[in-house]
Amino acid sequence: MMIATAVALDLCHVGPATTAQAADAHTSWFVPAGFAFFASWATCISVAAWLVWSLMDRGSARPVAPTTYLLVAAACVLDAAWRIAWCAGAALPAAVLATLLLIAVAAAFVSERMTDIWARWVPFSLWGGWSAVIAVSCLATLAFPQGAQAGALAACAGMLFTVGALLAASYLMRRLCDDVAFGVAAVWGIVGVGVHVLPASILTGALVLAIAAAGSVAVFVPWESIRPSYGGAGAGAGSRGGAARSYAASAPAPHPTRRPATRVARSSAPDRGERRRQQPSLRTSSRF
């Protein structure tokens, strides 16, 4: 149903407008350009591949739970319904359906992520990233339906805040779940937003594209695994920084050596009688 609806509304022009035409016609700023909506084909293909693979691999140690199949079926129905409402220009139903779609996809992702098999959860991560962009776009059409006409400063601030929220969610997904597919779909949607805003405001569109480029570096580069190194050839000799600091930080602490206790040889003291014989007496030493 989802693939049939995508073919009908993306390529065949069944309704009043295709998905891309409806996106380009929106005056709201936070709406991806029409070309960006073809990212949904990647989600359709990946989910279809997951379905075929799960049906062929029923004898695995971790089979797909029946609730996951129900969640995927509900998400497919919601995806098709969202497309119909979007192309018809119904902003409120499209926003409600897109939000429910994001919830269903997130639940399916959590169910499949627990298996630790990347082929089972990556399709839902990609679908979830694009669904997040769709849900935010539909909510933005309700908040700022006329874009800059409803307040250029408010529209620009709201759009930049939303872009930052999507990039922050992408960073958390990579850091906590070791997932980059969500960030790829989110950054793709943000690039589409920047292209959509360019005709209305070149400065705002360029700013969004710059934020998308900088955010992709911040999201996809594993900064936590890059540790700063001190010292090197440029470190000054004789100073307390540089190589001496790096060596002191990296060198293991020396283990205390246990030295054998030195035994002091004690000379045997003469007894009392011997001391008396050694000391000269008054009688023997006196001449009188």
Side-chain angles (χ1 to χ4, degrees), residues 73-183:
C76 291
V77 173
L78 290 170
D79 188 274
W82 165 82
R83 290 175 182 273
I84 296 173
W86 175 264
C87 294
L92 182 59
V96 174
L97 292 171
T99 305
L100 294 176
L101 170 63
L102 178 60
I103 295 174
V105 173
F109 169 79
V110 172
S111 177
E112 288 297 278
R113 185 63 180 85
M114 297 175 64
T115 61
D116 292 335
I117 302 175
W118 68 269
R120 292 181 57 169
W121 56 265
V122 165
F124 298 103
S125 175
L126 188 67
W127 197 6
W130 179 244
S131 299
V133 175
I134 293 301
V136 171
S137 300
C138 293
L139 294 174
T141 57
L142 296 176
F144 305 101
Q146 300 299 325
Q149 298 179 7
L153 183 60
C156 182
M159 184 180 61
L160 294 179
F161 174 79
T162 308
V163 168
L166 285 175
L167 291 176
S170 302
Y171 175 78
L172 290 177
M173 289 292 291
R174 184 191 63 81
R175 184 69 184 273
L176 300 179
C177 302
D178 195 15
D179 173 25
V180 297
F182 183 94

Side-chain angles (χ1 to χ4, degrees), residues 10-280:
D10 289 348
L11 301 177
C12 299
H13 204 303
V14 175
T18 62
T19 307
Q21 292 174 353
D24 292 332
H26 266 288
T27 56
S28 178
W29 279 11
F30 197 89
V31 173
F35 73 91
F37 281 80
F38 285 99
S40 60
W41 286 92
T43 62
C44 291
I45 295 173
S46 60
V47 173
W50 170 86
L51 180 61
V52 173
W53 180 84
S54 63
L55 293 176
M56 294 178 61
D57 195 24
R58 286 183 174 272
S60 62
R62 295 181 179 179
V64 179
T67 55
T68 305
Y69 284 117
L70 294 177
L71 288 171
V72 174
C76 291
V77 173
L78 290 170
D79 188 274
W82 165 82
R83 290 175 182 273
I84 296 173
W86 175 264
C87 294
L92 182 59
V96 174
L97 292 171
T99 305
L100 294 176
L101 170 63
L102 178 60
I103 295 174
V105 173
F109 169 79
V110 172
S111 177
E112 288 297 278
R113 185 63 180 85
M114 297 175 64
T115 61
D116 292 335
I117 302 175
W118 68 269
R120 292 181 57 169
W121 56 265
V122 165
F124 298 103
S125 175
L126 188 67
W127 197 6
W130 179 244
S131 299
V133 175
I134 293 301
V136 171
S137 300
C138 293
L139 294 174
T141 57
L142 296 176
F144 305 101
Q146 300 299 325
Q149 298 179 7
L153 183 60
C156 182
M159 184 180 61
L160 294 179
F161 174 79
T162 308
V163 168
L166 285 175
L167 291 176
S170 302
Y171 175 78
L172 290 177
M173 289 292 291
R174 184 191 63 81
R175 184 69 184 273
L176 300 179
C177 302
D178 195 15
D179 173 25
V180 297
F182 183 94
V184 169
V187 170
W188 172 258
I190 293 172
V191 171
V193 170
V195 175
H196 178 78
V197 177
L198 279 176
S201 176
I202 298 178
L203 180 61
T204 306
L207 181 60
V208 171
L209 293 176
I211 292 175
S216 61
V217 174
V219 168
F220 299 127
V221 175
W223 297 104
E224 63 276 3
S225 63
I226 301 177
R227 299 180 179 178
S229 59
Y230 299 97
S239 62
R240 295 188 178 182
R245 185 186 306 171
S246 64
Y247 175 78
S250 60
H255 296 285
T257 58
R258 181 176 297 177
R259 297 180 179 178
T262 57
R263 300 181 62 181
V264 179
R266 298 178 60 183
S267 60
S268 59
D271 55 354
R272 190 173 181 180
E274 185 69 21
R275 287 199 302 269
R276 287 181 178 180
R277 286 192 296 268
Q278 292 178 0
Q279 293 178 358

